[in-house]
Amino acid sequence: MKITKTSKSRINEVDFSNLVFGTQFSDHMLVAEYSEGKWSEPEIKPFGPMSFTPAMHTLHYGQAIFEGQKAYYMEDGSIGIFRPDANAKRLNHSARRMFMPELPEDLFMEGIKALVDIDREWVPKEKDHSLYLRPFMFGSSEFVAARPSEKYIFCILTSPVGPYYAGNVKVKVEETYTRSATGGVGSTKCAGNYGGAFYATHQAKEEGYMQVIWTDHKNHELIEESGTMNVAFIINDTFITPPLSDRILGGITRDSILTLLRDRNIVKVEERPIKVEELVAAAEAGTLQEAFGMGTAAVISQISTIGFRGTDFEVGTPTDGYAMKIKKELTDLRSGKTEDTYNWMVKF
Ligand SMILES: *Cc1c(COP(=O)(O)O)cnc(C)c1O
């Protein structure tokens, strides 16, 4: 791997006690290029601009995918990346569906470790802080014709982030707009899925909500996800989450939580379709104990209000309930406080 170090670190310009998510970037980035059927050797170089002409393929046709994951400062002083192999696999899942070249998993793994290692001073030591890692790939040919790009760039950026305080999350059950459809690209982290969601989220904000709960594209009957997080509910002391499909993104947080819940017998688990009707009935009957989103950024984000056709249902957000217990299990494993029996942390 070619490494060109920055001549002047920017780390002293960063106020680590006031980090705004995704706005500060570490000194280095990793770049690999694909052309004529193969990937170049990756290069680590100073973070900075890339140059393209306005004909750059991605700007027109959107072959662009990304990942999101974190590196943590651990109790024993080492740095650990959480399940990077799962992100490498998911990037390739997205790549196949978007007709982009797959990236060799060892290139991803070696690249991400080398990049975090070179900027290890950027991994915040404060509690609940982490280094957010953003691997992404995009078509970089320069032609304006609706056919697949011939060249691609794989890049990793890293960004120190602080704790995530969402406050009381009010969500609205979305029955007009759709995030994804059967046969579509909803199970991939392709850029357009997010661009396509901003309008619906903005409409919900105008109505006083923070996010939408996406429902299925056909009849808007089934609960799918909450914003850009997988969603789960506690009803009658049972953890219920929708099963994966090609409309739902397979979250690594979701998968980790399901694994912990099943192995440790924390709560009864049901991975099955859940109808809006059932959720509303549970809210009305008082059996809906908790509702939350699951994803890398917040780990768990408790939902305090669910709006449905103009009625707001309040949901408990206990500090000693299932959501917070699950969050603690996962954060303790990630910080090294409890044993990592799954070898989820890649430490160095
Ligand atoms: C990234 C993402 C998630 C969560 O995935 P994690 O791997 O847990 O961060 C869930 N839903 C959508 C739509 C996403 O983009």
Side-chain angles (χ1 to χ4, degrees), residues 13-285:
E13 296 165 18
V14 178
D15 177 0
F16 278 81
S17 52
N18 274 309
L19 295 166
V20 180
F21 193 95
T23 58
Q24 307 277 350
F25 302 102
S26 319
D27 284 328
H28 300 91
M29 62 182 183
L30 177 137
V31 179
E33 293 181 31
Y34 180 92
S35 71
E36 289 169 10
K38 53 179 192 298
W39 284 102
S40 70
E41 193 190 338
E43 187 182 347
I44 289 176
K45 54 185 174 186
F47 174 83
M50 290 178 168
S51 77
F52 308 105
T53 76
M56 203 264 281
H57 194 276
T58 293
L59 301 177
H60 304 268
Y61 306 108
Q63 274 181 303
I65 56 177
F66 67 93
E67 275 302 319
Q69 54 195 113
K70 284 176 172 176
Y72 300 86
Y73 187 79
M74 301 189 62
E75 294 209 332
D76 63 3
S78 58
I79 285 166
I81 307 181
F82 186 68
R83 303 188 68 182
D85 50 317
N87 293 93
K89 288 194 175 71
R90 189 170 65 190
L91 181 84
N92 283 337
H93 163 77
S94 298
R96 283 189 295 275
R97 180 61 182 84
M98 294 300 288
F99 202 63
M100 299 164 78
E102 289 184 44
L103 188 82
E105 262 180 54
D106 57 338
L107 189 157
F108 184 102
M109 295 291 281
E110 293 315 310
I112 208 158
K113 277 191 274 179
L115 182 67
V116 172
D117 195 27
I118 207 166
D119 280 334
R120 58 192 298 141
E121 293 304 314
W122 287 81
V123 182
K125 295 187 176 64
E126 295 82 355
K127 190 178 178 292
D128 296 332
H129 286 54
S130 59
L131 189 68
Y132 182 75
L133 316 177
R134 167 54 62 89
F136 59 107
M137 191 203 293
F138 58 96
S140 56
S141 286
E142 303 199 356
F143 60 73
V144 180
R147 59 184 160 84
S149 183
E150 287 157 14
K151 295 181 181 173
Y152 294 85
I153 290 177
F154 172 68
C155 179
I156 310 178
L157 307 176
T158 73
S159 171
V161 297
Y164 185 98
Y165 295 119
N168 279 349
V169 179
K170 279 184 80 173
V171 300
K172 176 198 160 186
V173 176
E174 180 58 62
E175 294 189 285
T176 304
Y177 305 105
T178 298
R179 191 189 84 87
S180 68
T182 299
V185 293
S187 72
T188 75
K189 281 185 113 67
C190 71
N193 282 346
Y194 306 85
F198 294 151
Y199 182 74
T201 310
H202 175 76
Q203 297 295 107
K205 283 190 179 146
E206 297 273 283
E207 295 169 36
Y209 299 96
M210 286 172 69
Q211 256 308 344
V212 300
I213 288 197
W214 297 107
T215 54
D216 70 285
H217 64 296
K218 238 179 168 171
N219 303 314
H220 298 291
E221 271 177 354
L222 296 167
I223 304 272
E224 307 250 287
E225 299 206 51
S226 174
T228 57
M229 301 179 95
N230 294 115
V231 70
F233 305 97
I234 306 283
I235 299 176
N236 280 330
D237 291 302
T238 304
F239 174 104
I240 307 170
T241 192
L244 297 181
S245 70
D246 61 358
R247 302 189 305 264
I248 295 183
L249 196 290
I252 294 161
T253 314
R254 174 188 181 279
D255 181 75
S256 308
I257 288 172
L258 282 174
T259 303
L260 289 176
L261 293 182
R262 286 180 172 137
D263 289 0
R264 300 185 180 176
N265 278 320
I266 295 169
V267 61
K268 192 168 160 237
V269 173
E270 288 179 6
E271 204 179 342
R272 60 159 172 90
I274 171 161
K275 286 193 171 171
V276 176
E277 208 173 46
E278 179 184 349
L279 185 69
V280 169
E284 281 172 342

